[in-house]
Amino acid sequence: MSSLNATPAAERVHIGIFGRRNAGKSSVINAITGQSLAIVSEIKGTTTDPVFKNMELLPLGPVTLIDTPGLDDEGELGKLRMQKGWQVLNKTDIAVLVIDGVLGMSEADQLILDRFKAKGIPWIVVENKLDAMTDVQKAQPVPAQTIRVSSRSGANIHELKERIAALV
């Protein structure tokens, strides 16, 4: 048995990936892992249940990445998906808020961030879709606990891993 699989869940750092629908949460997970773990689609609400993936994240070691449904879902089914997403926060050691860098930080994103802060969970904001941002958007200053990445091109993904590891 490999040491990765032998590490008990309780000893792993749990990294929750949160955000609105279609911000690129699953794409960021795929970029971090270098694998197509999470289903990616242009259709909002593709991730319907939290997805847990055990992996080795250097320089951190054994972690569990948790992909969550969008926290801005709609309708009765959407409410249930959002409930499951919020429940993941109780198992999260590090919270990653993925926002659509083209759209910028929304009120819904800020509410998610406020929940991280209220729970005292270390967090980072990931502005995804760097490759689709305009030069004007790219020229805007980046807040201290924010990193711009492109899950499509892989830009700044290595730096994101290092920033996540530094939060432990």
Side-chain angles (χ1 to χ4, degrees):
M1 185 185 295
S2 76
S3 63
L4 173 63
N5 292 328
T7 305
E11 293 178 22
R12 294 175 180 277
V13 174
H14 287 70
I15 303 168
I17 312 292
F18 301 90
R20 292 180 291 147
R21 292 172 296 158
N22 273 41
K25 297 178 301 295
S26 298
S27 298
V28 167
I29 282 193
N30 289 345
I32 288 172
T33 62
Q35 301 172 21
S36 293
L37 294 175
I39 297 171
V40 175
S41 165
E42 293 299 316
I43 300 167
K44 285 186 173 188
T46 301
T47 304
T48 58
D49 288 295
V51 177
F52 295 76
K53 172 60 180 168
N54 293 333
M55 65 171 289
E56 191 87 17
L57 182 63
L58 298 174
L60 203 51
V63 301
T64 300
L65 285 176
I66 311 165
D67 190 11
T68 62
L71 295 175
D72 64 336
D73 215 331
E74 300 164 338
E76 286 305 309
L77 211 50
K79 283 181 194 169
L80 293 173
R81 288 192 284 256
M82 285 175 34
Q83 239 175 4
K84 285 188 171 195
W86 285 121
Q87 286 171 355
V88 167
L89 208 48
N90 297 324
K91 301 173 183 164
T92 299
D93 299 308
I94 296 172
V96 177
L97 173 59
V98 177
I99 68 171
D100 184 323
V102 175
L103 300 177
M105 178 76 83
S106 72
E107 199 174 309
D109 293 320
Q110 188 58 56
L111 290 172
I112 297 167
L113 190 55
D114 291 344
R115 288 278 278 271
F116 299 167
K117 292 175 182 177
K119 284 195 159 279
I121 299 169
W123 55 271
I124 186 168
V125 174
V126 175
E127 287 185 7
N128 191 27
K129 306 183 184 179
L130 177 61
D131 54 301
M133 292 170 72
T134 66
D135 289 338
V136 171
Q137 288 172 319
K138 290 177 188 174
Q140 297 298 313
V142 181
Q145 283 184 264
T146 301
I147 184 170
R148 288 188 179 136
V149 306
S150 169
S151 56
R152 183 170 288 156
S153 74
N156 296 334
I157 295 298
H158 179 75
E159 292 82 354
L160 171 59
K161 290 180 193 180
E162 289 183 344
R163 299 262 306 261
I164 289 170
L167 290 173
V168 174

